[in-house]
Amino acid sequence: MESGSLVALDERARDIFRRIVESYLQTGEPVGSRTLSLTGVALSPASIRNTMQDLTLAGLLGAPHTSAGRIPTHAGLRLFVDGLLEIGDVGAEERREIDARLAGSGRNFEEALNEASSLLSGLAGGASIVASPVREAGVKHVEFVALGHDQALAVLVGDDGTVENRLMPLKAGVTPSTLQEASNFLNARLKGRPLHEARTEMRTEVDGARRELNAAAARLVEDGLAAWSGGAERERSLIVRGRANLLQDRDAVEDLERVRVLFDDLEQKEQLIGLLDGVSTAQGVRIFIGAETRLFSLSGSAVIAAPYMTGRQRVLGAIGVIGPARLNYARVIPLVDYTARVLGRILDGQET
């Protein structure tokens, strides 16, 4: 029997494997052959034990030291989630709660993200994480303003109302008309475009337009492009809610070291944002179990996350739930998916 392949499991092994995983996800308890024989498996306890041994050798089941029963390994959980899990749907009452709470969450990004994170941690019973999106507002206006004979202020105004001011030294001989020439050149080419998208292309255009621009104006354009960040430098926030939920799991109380490691992991802001940014590049819900993410490999935790996007399918970010590997996948997956879709609609409305 090959490890990690449903094709390699015959019907009997697949049925026993499914029953063990479902029982473990529900109770958190190791499952023994006697327990399985009481669930309607038409095999003797000896035959069940032989099949469980085969599944263990295949790396799909493990044996805790304190029990004769078996629990699924992380590889076994991955196989179950990918091939045997029957995903439910979000109930009508939960849909109404998600819709109502996010619709009433205020008129800014931060309030909507906070509400979505709190809501999801409460419904899913784990900790939730969400990162503020990378804002990609277009340029509304740029201008160079003289502050004296040797200094200017480079001003960039974004479509989202943000303003960036940068002090720049001026070379000798720069006149007000030079400042206006540089401003006009950039406004004609940047308006409505995200700066980070246009920056490289603009530098090429400056090289090609040196006959139109005098040397001082060309230098101003280059210095301005280098100075403005376009909002990219603003620190992104990471919202984590529901840490206390992780202590309500009975197994977690018995394994406080694992929980301590998980709490430390939840403080790794840059790595968590990196994980969510990776989810943002995918379509639909992503699931990571145990060592599938370096961040949560030691705590043996699971992450279920989904991108939230505008109605025009522009991805804004991702939101997810973190918990023990025996999360209720059938319930949490649709909750994360639905919350992400509603959050995307709410934020899309705030962008227009």
Side-chain angles (χ1 to χ4, degrees):
M1 184 185 299
E2 298 176 19
S3 175
S5 172
L6 277 176
V7 177
L9 303 182
D10 59 27
E11 185 176 348
R12 179 174 71 178
R14 188 178 303 196
D15 179 55
I16 289 176
F17 175 67
R18 178 183 57 78
R19 289 172 185 264
I20 290 173
V21 178
E22 288 177 347
S23 176
Y24 173 72
L25 291 179
Q26 182 176 359
T27 68
E29 299 285 348
V31 182
S33 57
R34 187 173 298 278
T35 301
L36 283 174
S37 66
L38 296 175
T39 64
V41 178
L43 295 169
S44 67
S47 295
I48 294 174
R49 281 194 297 272
N50 289 337
T51 301
M52 291 173 67
Q53 182 64 23
D54 290 341
L55 291 168
T56 302
L57 292 173
L60 300 177
L61 299 181
H65 297 300
T66 58
S67 171
R70 297 290 187 272
I71 64 173
T73 61
H74 290 166
L77 286 172
R78 166 55 64 185
L79 185 67
F80 175 82
V81 167
D82 288 346
L84 295 174
L85 179 66
E86 294 182 6
I87 299 175
D89 198 5
V90 180
E93 185 175 336
E94 289 175 328
R95 285 174 181 263
R96 284 193 293 270
E97 181 179 359
I98 293 169
D99 291 345
R101 285 181 58 178
L102 290 185
S105 60
R107 295 304 300 169
N108 66 60
F109 275 69
E110 199 71 20
E111 289 178 6
L113 295 177
N114 266 295
E115 187 63 32
S117 186
S118 297
L119 173 66
L120 191 54
S121 68
L123 291 174
S128 66
I129 53 173
V130 60
S132 61
V134 177
R135 301 302 299 275
E136 297 181 341
V139 174
K140 184 176 182 180
H141 179 73
V142 295
E143 188 171 356
F144 295 100
V145 180
L147 298 180
H149 67 280
D150 61 351
Q151 198 173 53
L153 189 67
V155 182
L156 181 145
V157 181
D159 285 335
D160 60 354
T162 57
V163 179
E164 285 193 44
N165 298 313
R166 295 287 186 272
L167 287 173
M168 295 171 49
L170 288 182
K171 299 287 186 181
V174 173
T175 64
S177 62
T178 302
L179 294 172
Q180 190 62 53
E181 182 181 1
S183 300
N184 292 343
F185 180 86
L186 284 172
N187 276 310
R189 290 160 176 81
L190 288 181
K191 191 169 183 178
R193 302 172 66 187
L195 181 64
H196 72 88
E197 175 187 293
R199 185 180 272 123
T200 301
E201 188 177 321
M202 278 294 306
R203 287 186 179 126
T204 302
E205 288 192 37
V206 172
D207 288 339
R210 288 188 183 277
R211 292 181 180 177
E212 302 175 33
L213 295 169
N214 66 41
R219 173 60 65 87
L220 272 175
V221 167
E222 291 173 339
D223 290 347
L225 288 172
W228 291 313
S229 72
E233 70 176 16
R234 287 182 294 171
E235 186 177 3
R236 294 171 64 193
S237 62
L238 176 76
I239 301 167
V240 181
R241 295 285 184 271
R243 288 180 177 87
N245 292 333
L246 301 172
L247 291 170
Q248 295 178 9
D249 178 51
R250 185 187 58 78
D251 290 342
V253 175
E254 295 176 357
D255 187 8
L256 290 178
E257 177 60 21
R258 179 181 64 78
V259 178
R260 185 193 65 76
V261 172
L262 175 55
F263 273 42
D264 287 344
D265 291 340
L266 292 175
E267 297 299 322
Q268 306 304 309
K269 176 181 174 181
E270 290 184 5
Q271 292 188 56
L272 285 168
I273 289 178
L275 174 66
L276 291 175
D277 285 348
V279 171
S280 297
T281 64
Q283 293 293 322
V285 179
R286 291 286 305 279
I287 302 163
F288 305 94
I289 302 173
E292 291 174 355
T293 63
R294 186 177 64 177
L295 180 59
F296 295 111
S297 60
L298 292 179
S299 65
S301 303
V303 181
I304 300 173
Y308 57 91
M309 60 189 70
T310 69
R312 296 174 294 280
Q313 300 301 297
R314 183 171 72 83
V315 173
L316 298 172
I319 185 170
V321 169
I322 299 169
R326 67 175 196 88
L327 274 171
N328 186 342
Y329 296 92
R331 169 175 160 75
V332 176
I333 290 171
L335 276 175
V336 171
D337 181 47
Y338 187 74
T339 302
R341 284 190 278 122
V342 175
L343 178 61
R345 291 201 299 269
I346 296 295
L347 296 183
D348 193 17
Q350 292 179 10
E351 286 199 324
T352 57

